[in-house]
Amino acid sequence: MRIKKGIDITRESWMVLRKDRELLFFPLCSAVAAALIVATILSAGFLIPSFGQWASGVMDEEQAHSIGEQALGIVCLFVIYFIEWFIAVYFNTALVGCALIRFSGGDPTIKDGFRIANRRLPQILAWALFTSAVGTILSAVEQRLGWFGKLIVRLVGLTWAVSTYFVVPVLAAEGASPITAVKRSVALLKKTWGEGLAGNIAIRVASLGVTLMIVGLAVLGFALAAYVESKVIAIATGALLVLCLVLMGIIGSALRQVFLAALYEFSKTGNVPAGFSENSMRSALISSP
């Protein structure tokens, strides 16, 4: 039943997103920024071979490294985490902020999203620093432990991911500090336990299903290209495949943030978000014991 409720809320999230298609701009910006960062890192390793060899060597836990190399490697890992988290949280805060405006009866614009994210910039920076430190520590510990230790670290990481589920809407709406945001997230999670995660999983499963269909069509396209020996068809199929996969990633990300904003709004105020049914929202709200 809980999975079905999650699917129902996912469908309603899609209907909300269809009314505010401009919200897709934020995950698009996030994806582009992340791609540029990855391209920059790969380019640095390619253009400066010594840097690339050093970076790959530091990440190899079987090689012996000096304390200075290990420290520098940890710093680099922290910087990468920080940049990735800052970009993701910044644009997700903008999207969730717009969704909350829609739920309160307003008509959000892209400008509103950036205004909200910029207003919460100190909190976003603080959260990016905080969660990057946690991620760096977990990664550093994992590299130095055996298989059992790695399993424990990954379970801790999973617990951390679940505990911080509502952090973005808390940042967008309340501007809380990192510690307060985690506490608020845990408190809200107790109210929505099960449905929040089920809805998130439902969105991912739906996205995966569409993605598999796209890949299946691409396979047929490549098979046709091979049969008729056409490079044009092969290139066109490859380009369409990449484009569709990127679009699915962007839409899936936007759906998850809209759904997250709806759960936050209802669990905090008791008001049914615009575009969602009262039955779906009330079934997703579980009173804390």
Side-chain angles (χ1 to χ4, degrees):
M1 287 297 293
R2 287 187 173 183
I3 295 295
K4 182 181 182 302
K5 295 173 186 175
I7 294 175
D8 290 339
I9 297 177
T10 302
R11 175 178 51 80
E12 292 172 352
S13 298
W14 168 247
M15 298 306 294
V16 171
L17 185 59
R18 286 182 61 184
K19 296 178 181 178
D20 291 290
R21 293 185 178 89
E22 63 270 21
L23 297 184
L24 293 172
F25 179 76
F26 298 114
L28 173 61
C29 288
S30 181
V32 170
L36 289 175
I37 291 171
V38 171
T40 300
I41 295 174
L42 293 177
S43 297
F46 178 76
L47 297 175
I48 311 175
S50 57
F51 172 78
Q53 294 172 2
W54 173 83
S56 60
V58 170
M59 296 301 172
D60 187 353
E61 56 186 273
E62 296 182 358
Q63 295 185 20
H65 303 286
S66 66
I67 295 178
E69 287 180 326
Q70 293 179 23
L72 189 56
I74 290 175
V75 170
C76 289
L77 182 62
F78 173 81
V79 171
I80 292 173
Y81 274 146
F82 172 76
I83 294 174
E84 290 179 345
W85 273 110
F86 175 78
I87 290 172
V89 175
Y90 179 85
F91 288 109
N92 284 343
T93 299
L95 195 157
V96 168
C98 285
L100 292 175
I101 292 175
R102 168 60 64 183
F103 296 151
S104 64
D107 186 13
T109 63
I110 292 175
K111 184 178 179 180
D112 289 325
F114 281 117
R115 175 180 54 79
I116 293 170
N118 290 336
R119 186 177 62 194
R120 302 303 188 194
L121 195 57
Q123 290 81 11
I124 294 173
L125 284 169
W127 176 251
L129 287 170
F130 183 69
T131 194
S132 298
V134 172
T136 302
I137 291 172
L138 290 178
S139 296
V141 172
E142 183 179 6
Q143 290 184 2
R144 287 160 178 75
L145 297 178
W147 68 269
F148 182 74
K150 290 183 178 181
L151 177 62
I152 297 300
V153 169
R154 296 196 178 186
L155 288 175
V156 171
L158 178 60
T159 303
W160 171 256
V162 172
S163 300
T164 58
Y165 184 74
F166 281 104
V167 161
V168 170
V170 169
L171 290 177
E174 304 175 25
S177 64
I179 300 298
T180 302
V182 174
K183 291 180 179 178
R184 289 282 294 128
S185 176
V186 171
L188 291 168
L189 189 66
K190 289 179 180 178
K191 289 185 176 182
T192 60
W193 178 252
E195 275 67 32
L197 299 179
N200 199 18
I201 292 173
I203 293 173
R204 293 182 182 277
V205 170
S207 299
L208 177 61
V210 176
T211 299
L212 290 176
M213 287 191 293
I214 292 172
V215 172
L217 292 174
V219 170
L220 293 177
F222 286 127
L224 175 63
Y227 179 76
V228 300
E229 298 182 352
S230 173
K231 292 183 179 179
V232 174
I233 295 178
I235 294 174
T237 300
L240 286 174
L241 174 62
V242 172
L243 178 61
C244 290
L245 292 179
V246 170
L247 287 175
M248 282 305 306
I250 292 171
I251 293 173
S253 176
L255 286 174
R256 290 193 295 274
Q257 298 308 313
V258 169
F259 167 61
L260 183 61
L263 279 181
Y264 170 81
E265 175 73 11
F266 188 66
S267 63
K268 181 183 178 183
T269 67
N271 298 324
V272 179
F276 288 83
S277 67
E278 183 174 359
N279 180 61
S280 294
M281 284 291 97
R282 292 199 180 282
S283 67
L285 187 63
I286 303 175
S287 299
S288 299

